[in-house]
Amino acid sequence: MTTGSAGSAGGLSDQALADSWRLAATALSIFAVDPGGLGGLLLRARAGAARDLFLDALAAALRRMGRRRLHRLGGQPSADALFGGLDLGASLRAGHPVRSAGVAPLIGERVLVAPMAERLEPGAAALLAQALDAWRARGAALLALDEGAEPDEAPPEALRDRLGLVVSLEGLSARIGAVPIDLDAIDAGGEALAGVSSSADDLRDLVMTGAALGVGSLRAPLFALRAARAHAALAGREAVGRDDLESAVALTLLPRRRIDPTLGAEGPEHAPDRAALEPQVPPEDAEPAEENTDPGAPGAAESLIASAAASVPEGVLAALEAAARAAARSSGGAGAFSTARRRAGGRRGRPLPARPGPLDGRAPLDLAATLSAAAPWQTLRRQNGLGVNRNVGDDAGPGRRVIILPSDIRLRRFAERRERAIFFVVDASGSTALARLGEAKGAVELLLAEAYARRDHVGLIAFRGPGAETVLPPTRALAAAKRRLAALPSGGGTPLAAGLREALAQVSSARRRGLTPGLAVLTDGRANLTLSGAPGRAEAAAE
């Protein structure tokens, strides 16, 4: 596939743009035919004209089906918003607790929309996943809008696992025109879906394909089968065929790929040669190969993967794979050198659920949460005479007061991004010091180049001769770091214990400043100088 032709957007050729729009239109049509069966659709696209076109086309398709509308959720859905809970405003007006129904009554006639799904806290994502599981029989469906600007930003894995279809609009241009969907075919497909059949061999092929791609979820092959049935219904077929399976793999399994089966390795950096994925045509004089009639044979999965991957534009598949791997990393726990962690703070950042606590000035009062905690107890407190001062006049009367006790106090919290401090501890001793220093200098310069965007600090500790020193304190200043690195000396003995002790001191200092520290030690491990500077390999190794 050629890229970067004149007039292309985001590095995609006109043909790639058209192919991407057709793939997005196919996903949209499949979702409109069977939204409840597929659980939902994950749309990776930042706000813009291309996404607006897609959402407008989806809304039109759902209206055509006559039973669905879009309903936008708040940024961080709560249990009350989903399953119902206390309506604070109505309770204060009525003078008694009034409960809201949440969005449960809308299931079956609305598609819930979760904006900025990549920013969902794990707790909110778990609530959404729980809601989809609970309402699945009633046709629950979710449209998750992934607006992540970086490859490592992705919705939590618990939510992605419940969304059957994955679509990326990254690099697409609105100038390509309206999304090419057939509303009549969608209407007819919805009516015909119940009559479309699939075989056990179809499901077995999809399960084997998912295993070959490293997809760990068992929901994914089931979603793929639902997508294949919907694709067949759109085409007017009564049974799932080869084309339907290929489209289902391209929209459900390939975006979740963790392994490239052609190389047996993980990661988008091992992406296969696109030409190798194209169907191979044998020479005319070649003898016909013996046909493999076993649909569950390993060749069935490889063939489906090759055909599906060849139909997906290269840039689109790479973006989806990066997001899938980011979601898997975030669900499995992050290491010291992964993306920045978050912590609870009281002053800035993204809002977190309020927590009980005293008004000691360290965190601001969350008035709405405090009133919500106090509202259910007002009748009982008035009956017990709590909070009523008979000596103070009140035009509204004591019965209209909101009685708040210390246990009702709720404090505001925010998610603050924890900046990282990465320390390179480099053995600058001996004859191989120049090679190690060259590697360390190159790594530090690369990290510093990304430090501003990633909020990283990078430091350098060198040990040689009599001891260790912090050559470069934690910094994001690239020019200053290069000057310090260029003057770094080398040679002498190896005081490894001194280097590790200096590293511990720097890590402890970084923690006290609220940073998340990480260490990379470059050494051959052959210590020969003690902490006092005296020679002795045995004592130095023990230290």
Side-chain angles (χ1 to χ4, degrees):
M1 177 178 295
T2 60
T3 59
S5 62
S8 64
L12 296 179
S13 67
D14 289 344
Q15 183 60 48
L17 285 172
D19 291 342
S20 298
W21 269 121
R22 279 195 291 270
L23 186 68
T26 300
L28 187 156
S29 301
I30 289 174
F31 180 65
V33 167
D34 189 16
L38 290 164
L41 184 148
L42 175 61
L43 180 63
R44 185 169 179 83
R46 282 189 267 179
R51 194 181 78 173
D52 291 342
L53 283 175
F54 185 93
L55 295 179
D56 290 343
L58 177 60
L62 293 175
R63 285 197 301 270
R64 182 63 175 267
M65 299 298 291
R67 64 174 187 269
R68 293 277 183 170
R69 298 289 188 274
L70 297 177
H71 178 81
R72 185 175 289 260
L73 298 172
Q76 294 289 332
S78 63
D80 288 348
L82 292 173
F83 301 104
L86 182 70
D87 187 327
L88 179 60
S91 298
L92 292 176
R93 288 191 298 269
H96 59 81
V98 176
R99 299 189 63 83
S100 65
V103 300
L106 303 178
I107 297 303
E109 64 182 35
R110 303 287 178 93
V111 171
L112 305 181
V113 180
M116 294 186 293
E118 80 286 354
R119 297 189 177 187
L120 284 174
E121 297 294 337
L127 283 173
L128 270 176
Q130 178 185 355
L132 290 175
D133 289 342
W135 300 331
R136 183 74 186 275
R138 297 165 55 191
L142 176 72
L143 173 62
L145 303 180
D146 180 358
E147 304 174 22
E150 300 294 333
D152 59 355
E153 293 181 315
E157 183 66 18
L159 187 61
R160 288 176 58 95
D161 191 32
R162 286 155 172 87
L163 307 177
L165 300 175
V166 184
V167 178
S168 174
L169 302 183
E170 292 189 359
L172 298 191
S173 171
R175 67 178 175 80
I176 205 71
V179 183
I181 61 173
D182 186 341
L183 294 178
D184 292 334
I186 292 174
D187 195 5
E191 297 294 332
L193 178 63
V196 176
S197 63
S198 59
S199 66
D201 292 338
D202 295 332
L203 181 57
R204 181 168 56 178
D205 287 349
L206 292 173
V207 171
M208 292 179 62
T209 301
L213 292 171
V215 179
S217 171
L218 292 179
R219 290 187 177 94
L222 296 176
F223 284 141
L225 186 62
R226 297 295 297 241
R229 293 181 65 243
H231 190 270
L234 285 167
R237 289 186 285 268
E238 296 182 353
V240 170
R242 172 76 181 192
D243 291 344
D244 307 318
L245 293 177
E246 291 176 0
S247 296
V249 169
L251 293 169
T252 60
L253 298 180
L254 274 181
R256 292 172 164 86
R257 183 172 83 174
R258 300 294 308 284
I259 295 175
D260 177 1
T262 65
L263 298 175
E266 292 192 4
E269 64 273 15
H270 300 286
D273 182 3
R274 304 292 295 182
L277 295 175
E278 300 290 345
Q280 302 297 313
V281 180
E284 294 182 358
D285 56 351
E287 295 184 2
E290 181 179 353
E291 183 177 359
N292 186 355
T293 58
D294 181 8
E302 280 80 356
S303 178
L304 272 177
I305 293 171
S307 300
S311 68
V312 181
E314 185 173 0
V316 173
L317 183 56
L320 293 176
E321 287 175 351
R325 296 176 66 81
R329 285 195 301 269
S330 65
S331 65
F337 294 94
S338 61
T339 55
R341 299 179 181 179
R342 298 183 184 276
R343 62 174 177 175
R347 294 297 173 188
R348 58 187 176 87
R350 190 175 306 154
L352 292 175
R355 64 170 179 85
L359 279 174
D360 54 9
R362 290 185 293 180
L365 173 70
D366 189 325
L367 180 58
T370 299
L371 293 175
S372 295
W377 308 99
Q378 296 305 299
T379 300
L380 183 61
R381 290 173 181 177
R382 291 194 183 95
Q383 290 174 353
N384 294 333
L386 296 177
V388 178
N389 188 348
R390 302 298 183 182
N391 298 322
V392 179
D394 188 345
D395 294 339
R400 298 300 297 172
R401 290 172 179 261
V402 177
I403 305 170
I404 298 177
L405 301 183
S407 60
D408 301 325
I409 299 298
R410 297 294 185 269
L411 304 178
R412 297 175 64 188
R413 294 191 304 158
F414 300 91
E416 298 178 354
R417 182 178 290 273
R418 296 196 68 169
E419 299 180 353
R420 299 182 300 173
I422 301 175
F423 294 95
F424 285 83
V425 186
V426 182
D427 184 350
S429 66
S431 59
T432 60
L434 291 178
R436 280 194 297 269
L437 288 176
E439 294 171 355
K441 290 176 181 179
V444 171
E445 289 186 7
L446 287 175
L447 283 171
L448 283 169
E450 300 178 358
Y452 179 78
R454 298 174 64 88
R455 298 181 175 90
D456 291 345
H457 296 73
V458 178
L460 180 63
I461 300 168
F463 56 94
R464 57 181 287 273
E469 65 172 328
T470 300
V471 178
L472 180 67
T475 182
R476 285 185 289 183
L478 182 58
K482 286 184 176 180
R483 289 194 300 269
R484 299 292 294 275
L485 291 172
L488 186 63
S490 62
T494 309
L496 178 56
L500 295 178
R501 185 171 63 177
E502 178 67 17
L504 177 61
Q506 290 294 331
V507 164
S508 300
S509 175
R511 277 208 183 97
R512 288 194 296 270
R513 301 202 310 270
L515 301 174
T516 299
L519 276 180
V521 183
L522 285 75
T523 179
D524 57 10
R526 298 176 180 177
N528 56 25
L529 291 180
T530 66
L531 287 171
S532 62
R537 291 187 180 275
E539 185 179 353
E543 289 178 342

